[in-house]
Amino acid sequence: MKIIGCDPSLRNFGIVTADLNIDTMEFKIQEMRLIESEDNAKKAKTVRKNSDDLRRARALHEGFVAACQGAGMAFIEVPVGSQSARAMASYGICIGVLAACPVPMIQLTPTEVKLAMTGEKTATKDEMIEAAVKAHPEAKWLTRKLGGKLSLISSNEHLADATGAIMAGLKTDEFRAILATLRCLRAA
């Protein structure tokens, strides 16, 4: 079964596509996408902020819907409130994009994702990346050459959270109920 995990944000929207073996509950990451949405309004004073937000929302929507094609389930770390008006606008855009999810979705909290990935509800970004890379070395993590050697980049935090969303989602009662139905249908 093709599944996706998602860590939405306006600037870096992480999406992981994986194949799930519903008998063993193991998944193998097939693709990782980081949809980067730059703020053009800061660069060009002639662009209205709301027009730029709309452009960015469309880019996120298109990438998210494309990633969902053929998937049977999406596991989403749904963002929580914010501390500023600008952050709240970003939150609203992400919630709007998620509302357009064309496949069944299991919603997860950031705490559930951290616990599933590391066992710690206060895991740092680096700890999340380290745990995700260790759990899924087959994935094509984002790297750069530094001193002639490949090293992971900090943007992997969004892909690690998306991977953690899958791990957390597979443990939910909601998914277990869906899985039981799938197994019954397959047996029939």
Side-chain angles (χ1 to χ4, degrees), residues 1-4 17 67-74 102-104:
M1 169 186 216
K2 180 181 172 183
I3 57 175
I4 68 163
T17 304
C68 288
Q69 294 303 312
M73 179 69 55
V103 298

Side-chain angles (χ1 to χ4, degrees), residues 75 106 108 116 164-176:
F75 301 98
I106 292 183
L108 302 150
I166 292 173
M167 293 173 77
L170 295 176
K171 295 176 181 179
T172 63
D173 289 340
E174 186 179 359
F175 183 71
R176 287 189 187 124

Side-chain angles (χ1 to χ4, degrees), residues 14-48:
I15 302 172
V16 169
T17 304
D19 286 329
L20 172 67
N21 180 323
I22 63 171
D23 295 319
T24 65
M25 296 302 290
E26 293 177 1
F27 66 94
K28 183 175 180 186
I29 295 174
Q30 298 299 323
E31 182 182 6
M32 300 181 119
R33 296 182 192 191
L34 184 64
I35 305 169
E36 296 175 293
S37 166
E38 288 297 318
D39 185 356
N40 285 342
K42 289 181 181 175
K43 295 177 186 172
K45 297 282 186 190
T46 59
V47 177
R48 291 191 322 253

Side-chain angles (χ1 to χ4, degrees), residues 122-137:
T122 59
T124 66
K125 293 173 183 183
D126 288 338
E127 289 169 337
M128 290 292 288
I129 293 169
E130 184 180 328
V133 170
K134 184 177 179 182
H136 291 279

Side-chain angles (χ1 to χ4, degrees), residues 57-164:
R58 282 187 179 135
L60 297 179
H61 175 265
E62 289 168 8
F64 178 59
V65 170
C68 288
Q69 294 303 312
M73 179 69 55
F75 301 98
I76 312 289
E77 180 183 323
V78 179
V80 293
S82 55
Q83 301 270 332
S84 70
R86 183 69 210 145
M88 196 63 193
S90 297
Y91 165 86
I93 289 170
C94 289
I95 294 298
V97 169
L98 295 178
C101 186
V103 298
M105 175 192 332
I106 292 183
Q107 301 173 40
L108 302 150
T109 67
T111 301
E112 288 173 310
V113 170
K114 287 178 182 186
L115 282 170
M117 181 60 76
T118 68
E120 297 289 329
K121 63 182 177 181
T122 59
T124 66
K125 293 173 183 183
D126 288 338
E127 289 169 337
M128 290 292 288
I129 293 169
E130 184 180 328
V133 170
K134 184 177 179 182
H136 291 279
E138 81 280 4
K140 293 182 180 162
W141 298 97
L142 304 175
T143 59
R144 68 176 176 174
K145 253 191 181 177
L146 193 60
K149 182 171 139 180
L150 284 180
S151 61
L152 296 168
I153 63 173
S154 63
S155 293
N156 279 307
E157 73 176 90
H158 308 287
L159 301 172
D161 283 357
T163 303

